[in-house]
Amino acid sequence: MSVGKVYLVGAGPGDRGLITVKGREAIKKADVILYDRLVNFSLLDDAPPNCELIYCGKLPTRHFMRQNEINATLVRKAIAGHTVVRLKGGDPSVFGRVGEEAEELALHQIPFEIVPGITSGIAAPLYAGIPVTHRDYAGSFAVVTAHDKSKNGKPDIDWEGLARGVQTIAFYMGVSNLEHICENLIQFGKSPDTPVIIIRWGTWSRQQSVVGTLSTIVEKVREAKIENPAITLVGDIVSTRDKVKWFENRPLFGKQVLYVRGKAEEENRASKWMEQGADVIEFPRWIVKEKAIDSAVLDQLSVYEQILFLSKESVEAFFAQLKKSKVDIRKIQAELYCQNHSAITILEEKGLFADHVDKLSHQGSMLTVGSEEQEKIGSCLNNDLFASVYETIIDERYETIINRSLEDATLTTIVFTSSEAVKLLMEKGNQYGISPKEINQSVEFVCETAEACEALKKYGFAVGKHENDILIESL
């Protein structure tokens, strides 16, 4: 067996759109991904369905995997012939210990690539409305770790050179040493009135900023109860914030949403809400697995007068199977119909045009295409020809991921797509660390359907909003 390859990838600081094209391509071909706590877990959606996902996050007080364990796992998986992605928050070379991992791989003669990422010391200030350089304020910029290998845990750096020679300074993970940082910068030349901003969870919807000066910021941070992960930015450049602030003005900024979908086929609005500034945790995560089409169905493809697709997943799986079986789509002579508009859109992308099921005549031979769970719909349509082309299951790989996401989030909203979604959360929520009764006091429930509202009421919960009262897009 040949040795695999390792990609050491920077995932960016949080906003999932900040990963590089090369980083995303590495994820798409990975057999194994080792991912950190500060990675936006939605990036894992691009991983292949059979990719092994290994959490190796680190907290100040506990590590799920020590660095030597991470190194050993990278080596072991690569030697087994796998394509391995080490997905690290921000840029892997900026306090990301990529040098140690690369050295270990080189020692074992394992091929690897390092894919740079956007570092939080630049991105977090920009999302708070602050460029790190500006012709009127700052022509120099430095990134500094606020934790190093010093015995007392205080950063051992050239304070005088930093205070006198650099106009904008970004300290990483500096909350616990903030008082030490401020005292030394003042002692070695910075004015006590130098502006400072602390940015927690930069580029996420949960982003929180506290502004002060070197003489006031410590007390303000204590009052706001700010903890890591956070960037501390020091310099006159902080004064540009009020003019340049943009991210926090998004309509859904501050919303942290648990999005519960009862079926894989239900429309997924997560991306739309994220574009408007919300953080979205999807529960559960669904896998769509294609199934081979019966050869008898393929043999009769040119005979069917009507074909009904019950979901966009059925369209995608059906045509994927035609391709695998080397069946020319020009054999399809039928009129095409779809259960929903998203399926119609997928067909149009293939150069095929369909009508909504409402226009179906039910005359002539008809093939219904869907999943095993949808086969009863074919029976209701008095149709004996049903092609089951896929099945849906809950992706158990995401149990750990959802747990970790909820640990760091402070939910504001839970959205239910259907009555099935309500039932799923009530029956499986505790397995993922979600207790609806515990969070009901502080979280608003939103339903996309009247059926979901009724299901919630049966479980004894009050409904905050539903689609008839307010556009669901605005939560």
Side-chain angles (χ1 to χ4, degrees):
M1 180 182 293
S2 60
V3 175
K5 185 173 182 178
V6 177
Y7 293 85
L8 305 166
V9 178
D15 184 331
R16 66 175 184 168
L18 295 181
I19 192 170
T20 63
V21 173
K22 190 168 186 178
R24 191 179 295 276
E25 290 303 313
I27 292 172
K28 288 179 179 179
K29 60 187 177 185
D31 299 313
V32 182
I33 298 177
L34 285 79
Y35 62 97
D36 283 346
R37 172 196 173 205
L38 299 183
V39 166
N40 189 322
F41 298 144
S42 67
L43 293 175
L44 300 174
D45 293 349
D46 286 321
N50 296 322
C51 180
E52 182 181 3
L53 306 177
I54 301 174
Y55 181 68
C56 47
K58 298 174 183 175
L59 291 165
T61 56
R62 58 187 170 121
H63 292 184
F64 293 92
M65 286 183 73
R66 296 281 178 183
Q67 189 62 50
N68 61 339
E69 296 177 88
I70 295 171
N71 294 350
T73 303
L74 292 174
V75 170
R76 185 174 67 255
K77 295 295 184 181
I79 288 176
H82 298 301
T83 297
V84 184
V85 169
R86 173 74 172 102
L87 197 58
K88 307 166 77 70
D91 180 279
S93 68
V94 182
F95 313 125
R97 304 185 72 170
V98 75
E100 299 169 46
E101 293 171 356
E103 288 173 353
E104 188 71 14
L105 295 170
L107 179 65
H108 290 83
Q109 298 183 322
I110 294 172
F112 66 89
E113 289 187 29
I114 302 176
V115 182
I118 297 175
T119 187
S120 57
I122 295 174
L126 280 173
Y127 272 56
I130 305 166
V132 293
T133 64
H134 190 295
R135 287 194 301 174
D136 296 333
Y137 297 95
S140 58
F141 169 62
V143 295
V144 182
T145 179
H147 287 277
D148 57 22
K149 297 171 72 174
S150 304
K151 291 182 179 180
N152 62 1
K154 308 295 183 184
D156 183 16
I157 54 182
D158 179 5
W159 289 106
E160 184 173 4
L162 200 61
R164 297 184 183 276
V166 182
Q167 292 165 302
T168 304
I169 312 167
F171 290 93
Y172 285 58
M173 299 295 185
V175 173
S176 61
N177 283 327
L178 184 59
E179 187 170 1
H180 176 76
I181 290 168
C182 293
E183 288 176 351
N184 278 277
L185 288 176
I186 292 171
Q187 178 183 342
F188 287 96
K190 286 285 187 191
S191 167
D193 296 326
T194 303
V196 181
I197 186 171
I198 307 290
I199 308 160
R200 186 172 188 248
W201 288 111
T203 79
W204 297 77
S205 183
R206 69 193 73 153
Q207 178 175 298
Q208 184 179 3
S209 301
V210 176
V211 180
T213 66
L214 286 175
S215 61
T216 64
I217 193 66
V218 172
E219 188 58 35
K220 289 189 174 186
V221 165
R222 284 175 183 159
E223 291 175 359
K225 298 180 180 179
I226 298 293
E227 298 177 345
N228 284 321
I231 290 290
T232 302
L233 197 74
V234 179
D236 293 336
I237 195 76
V238 173
S239 61
T240 65
R241 169 174 161 78
D242 291 336
K243 297 178 183 178
V244 186
K245 185 168 60 174
W246 62 276
F247 178 62
E248 295 166 19
N249 296 331
R250 287 186 171 187
L252 295 183
F253 177 79
K255 292 285 187 181
Q256 296 179 59
V257 182
L258 179 65
Y259 188 29
V260 188
R261 291 167 62 225
K263 298 177 182 177
E265 293 86 0
E266 292 171 345
E267 182 182 359
N268 191 335
R269 308 186 193 220
S271 294
K272 187 180 297 184
W273 294 330
M274 284 188 243
E275 288 171 5
Q276 296 181 64
D279 290 340
V280 182
I281 302 169
E282 294 182 56
F283 165 84
R285 291 299 184 97
W286 293 96
I287 293 178
V288 176
K289 289 191 172 183
E290 294 176 10
K291 296 179 62 180
I293 301 177
D294 191 292
S295 59
V297 173
L298 297 178
D299 292 341
Q300 297 295 311
L301 196 59
S302 59
V303 176
Y304 304 123
E305 296 173 79
Q306 298 172 319
I307 299 179
L308 170 62
F309 295 97
L310 298 181
S311 63
K312 69 179 182 65
E313 289 80 9
S314 66
V315 174
E316 292 166 340
F318 181 78
F319 284 93
Q321 287 299 314
L322 292 190
K323 184 177 180 181
K324 285 182 181 179
S325 301
K326 299 187 182 301
V327 175
D328 193 327
I329 66 170
R330 288 174 292 185
K331 287 187 176 182
I332 298 175
Q333 302 297 312
E335 294 179 348
L336 304 180
Y337 298 89
C338 294
Q339 187 86 353
N340 53 52
H341 293 289
S342 58
I344 293 174
T345 300
I346 297 294
L347 280 171
E348 288 178 352
E349 291 173 357
K350 299 179 183 298
L352 300 170
F353 295 89
D355 287 318
H356 192 267
V357 66
D358 292 343
K359 297 183 179 180
L360 184 64
S361 65
H362 300 284
Q363 295 178 354
S365 60
M366 185 174 78
L367 173 69
T368 304
V369 183
S371 67
E372 285 184 352
E373 296 87 349
Q374 295 169 327
E375 191 162 358
K376 61 183 179 182
I377 298 177
S379 301
C380 294
L381 295 169
N382 297 318
N383 171 38
D384 294 329
L385 300 172
F386 187 92
S388 176
V389 295
Y390 72 97
E391 63 177 341
T392 61
I393 59 174
I394 292 176
D395 191 342
E396 295 181 353
R397 298 176 305 166
Y398 277 82
E399 183 174 333
T400 297
I401 294 168
I402 293 170
N403 268 303
R404 301 300 172 222
S405 298
L406 290 168
E407 282 184 6
D408 287 327
T410 303
L411 292 180
T412 62
T413 313
I414 300 180
V415 179
F416 298 96
T417 58
S418 61
S419 58
E420 290 90 346
V422 174
K423 184 178 179 181
L424 260 176
L425 185 66
M426 299 304 165
E427 293 184 355
K428 290 184 176 289
N430 287 326
Q431 179 180 337
Y432 289 79
I434 311 166
S435 174
K437 291 185 178 179
E438 290 180 8
I439 61 178
N440 186 39
Q441 301 301 318
S442 58
V443 176
E444 184 172 40
F445 288 164
V446 177
C447 295
E448 291 190 5
T449 64
E451 290 79 10
C453 292
E454 290 304 313
L456 261 182
K457 290 176 183 176
K458 288 180 181 178
Y459 280 101
F461 294 99
V463 180
K465 302 174 185 173
H466 58 84
E467 200 166 47
N468 294 329
D469 294 333
I470 189 167
L471 288 175
I472 203 75
E473 283 81 1
S474 62
L475 295 182

